[in-house]
Amino acid sequence: NTLIRKGPANGSLAVQLISFSKALYRQGREDREKDCEAMLKHAAKILEVARGPEHPDVASHALMALADLYGKGMGRWVDCFDALEKAAKIYSKAFGPDHKTTKSTQKLAEEARKNMLESRAYRKQPPLVSTVGIL
């Protein structure tokens, strides 16, 4: 944590944090997901300061890694969608709305949106009730 708080605002530190976070995440330890999330968020802030908040590196390195962690790792589809949508906006501004990176990120955001809408937590539906009782 000391390194994360005191690290210089430069892109190479951010990329190192992202790489470390991905390695930690690949170990499959759910107890470290919050640590990975904190590192990725910090890396995003560093990149935003070092390169500007709308630089494609913010999207390609930090936001895409966050989206992957939120979606596949944690099932937090709302956060996954938000990260992908922000990345798609950055790509659209940097490369144009018809660029392949913009389009592929928009497609991933749409898939995350579908997962978000299908999740019980998002819909806040009451439990299914049968004639026998609660399912």
Side-chain angles (χ1 to χ4, degrees), residues 2-17 42-52:
T2 303
L3 175 66
I4 294 172
R5 284 192 294 261
K6 294 182 180 177
N10 64 47
S12 63
L13 174 62
V15 172
Q16 290 172 357
L17 282 172
H42 191 71
K45 294 284 185 206
I46 292 171
L47 283 172
E48 287 174 357
V49 170
R51 301 199 174 130

Side-chain angles (χ1 to χ4, degrees), residues 58-73:
V58 174
S60 65
H61 294 300
L63 293 175
M64 296 303 285
L66 270 169
D68 188 48
L69 175 67
Y70 286 145
K72 294 177 188 171

Side-chain angles (χ1 to χ4, degrees), residues 3-128:
L3 175 66
I4 294 172
R5 284 192 294 261
K6 294 182 180 177
N10 64 47
S12 63
L13 174 62
V15 172
Q16 290 172 357
L17 282 172
I18 292 165
S19 295
F20 182 70
S21 175
K22 287 179 179 180
L24 191 61
Y25 168 67
R26 280 193 292 270
Q27 290 179 353
R29 292 182 49 193
E30 289 182 18
D31 62 323
R32 300 308 299 262
E33 288 175 345
K34 292 288 184 187
D35 295 330
C36 293
E37 179 184 13
M39 281 186 268
L40 291 172
K41 284 182 171 183
H42 191 71
K45 294 284 185 206
I46 292 171
L47 283 172
E48 287 174 357
V49 170
R51 301 199 174 130
E54 295 181 351
H55 193 282
D57 283 353
V58 174
S60 65
H61 294 300
L63 293 175
M64 296 303 285
L66 270 169
D68 188 48
L69 175 67
Y70 286 145
K72 294 177 188 171
M74 302 170 90
R76 289 172 42 189
W77 295 107
V78 174
D79 294 324
C80 177
F81 173 76
D82 290 343
L84 288 168
E85 190 173 57
K86 185 174 179 180
K89 287 177 184 177
I90 291 171
Y91 288 143
S92 182
K93 189 168 186 173
F95 305 132
D98 295 325
H99 191 274
K100 66 181 180 177
T101 303
T102 304
K103 294 246 183 225
S104 65
T105 306
Q106 289 170 336
K107 184 177 178 183
L108 289 172
E110 182 58 30
E111 290 172 17
R113 187 184 74 77
K114 287 177 185 173
N115 286 330
M116 175 180 72
L117 294 174
E118 289 172 2
S119 76
R120 257 186 191 279
Y122 181 77
R123 293 183 298 174
K124 295 184 178 148
Q125 289 188 347
L128 296 174

